[in-house]
Amino acid sequence: MMNQYLPQVKENREAGHDIDPVFLNRWSPRSYRSDAIPDEVLFSLFEAARWAPSASNEQPWRFVFARTVEDKERFYPFIAEGNRVWCEKAPVLVLVISKTISSRDTHNRAHAFDAGTAWGYLALEATRQGLVTHAMGGFDPEKAREVLGIPEGYEPQAVIAVGYQGAKEELNEVLQEREKPSTRRDLSETVFEGVFNAK
């Protein structure tokens, strides 16, 4: 279990309150090693996601993953070029999908919210396992739907690169400059007591 801050995290992030280091250690690198992820490790990420909370326990998240050359090449056409330049080296790509219709045949207003929670659980377990993840909104949902055979009633949400962190120097110069954990707004900008205060 990871119980201390990673060196690169210590240099760039500081929690304002006492929290487990896993929350700060999770960040979104772009440099990946191509090393394969063992099944027991990979499926532990999906197991963690499985236990995320959801409205009425609908569990609307679905995951399609690619790790073979053939499957990854099926993903590439719907991933934006700016992401492909770095994500192709990741050993696993995952498309997060949410089911938009509830078990009562009504629109599930929380489908995206709940799928996002499951992705968060997956990301934290990946960090605990010594992996890195990077979720990408830069992809074509309709092309993903067509290529992967996703029917109506399901919505592609994000593509996630999963793997072991690579050397920053393997990225182009522009991406190297961005290859560090980002900071966050102060709580005073996002948490309000009693009434909302837009900032």
Side-chain angles (χ1 to χ4, degrees):
M1 189 125 180
M2 189 175 290
N3 58 8
Q4 56 188 5
Y5 293 114
L6 297 172
Q8 61 211 32
V9 169
K10 273 192 203 177
E11 294 171 15
N12 294 282
R13 291 179 162 182
E14 184 178 351
H17 297 272
D18 184 30
I19 57 174
D20 192 286
V22 72
F23 295 102
L24 270 67
N25 286 338
R26 186 231 57 82
W27 64 289
S28 304
R30 291 175 176 83
S31 184
Y32 283 82
R33 302 196 321 254
S34 56
D35 310 35
I37 303 172
D39 276 5
E40 62 271 20
V41 175
L42 178 60
F43 284 92
S44 74
L45 312 188
F46 298 120
E47 181 67 21
R50 175 182 172 223
W51 292 100
S54 62
S56 301
N57 198 28
E58 288 286 344
Q59 304 168 55
W61 49 81
R62 303 291 186 271
F63 303 99
V64 178
F65 74 95
R67 57 179 167 176
T68 67
V69 172
E70 181 184 6
D71 285 346
K72 286 169 68 178
E73 285 180 350
R74 191 177 294 121
F75 272 54
Y76 296 153
F78 59 77
I79 297 174
E81 191 59 39
N83 289 324
R84 281 187 61 178
V85 298
W86 59 264
C87 81
E88 287 188 10
K89 196 161 184 187
V92 176
L93 296 172
V94 180
L95 179 67
V96 183
I97 302 165
S98 59
K99 186 178 182 188
T100 63
I101 306 301
S102 75
S103 57
R104 297 178 297 280
D105 279 333
T106 58
H107 176 69
N108 180 359
R109 194 168 62 84
H111 69 93
F113 181 82
D114 293 342
T117 304
W119 137 245
Y121 273 41
L122 183 154
L124 291 173
E125 180 59 21
T127 301
R128 198 184 74 84
Q129 294 279 359
L131 295 164
V132 293
T133 54
H134 190 124
M136 298 168 263
F139 77 103
D140 184 333
E142 290 313 307
K143 190 173 281 189
R145 182 185 299 282
E146 176 188 335
V147 170
L148 300 180
I150 302 167
E152 289 301 314
Y154 293 85
E155 188 171 320
Q157 296 290 344
V159 178
I160 305 164
V162 184
Y164 298 98
Q165 189 173 358
K168 174 171 83 170
E169 293 70 27
E170 294 188 19
L171 298 168
N172 65 43
E173 285 186 23
V174 173
L175 292 180
Q176 282 185 41
E177 290 174 12
R178 299 171 65 188
E179 191 72 348
K180 62 183 179 182
S182 56
T183 59
R184 293 294 185 270
R185 294 186 184 94
D186 189 82
L187 283 184
S188 64
E189 297 181 58
T190 58
V191 180
F192 314 106
E193 184 170 0
V195 295
F196 179 68
N197 181 12
K199 289 190 177 181

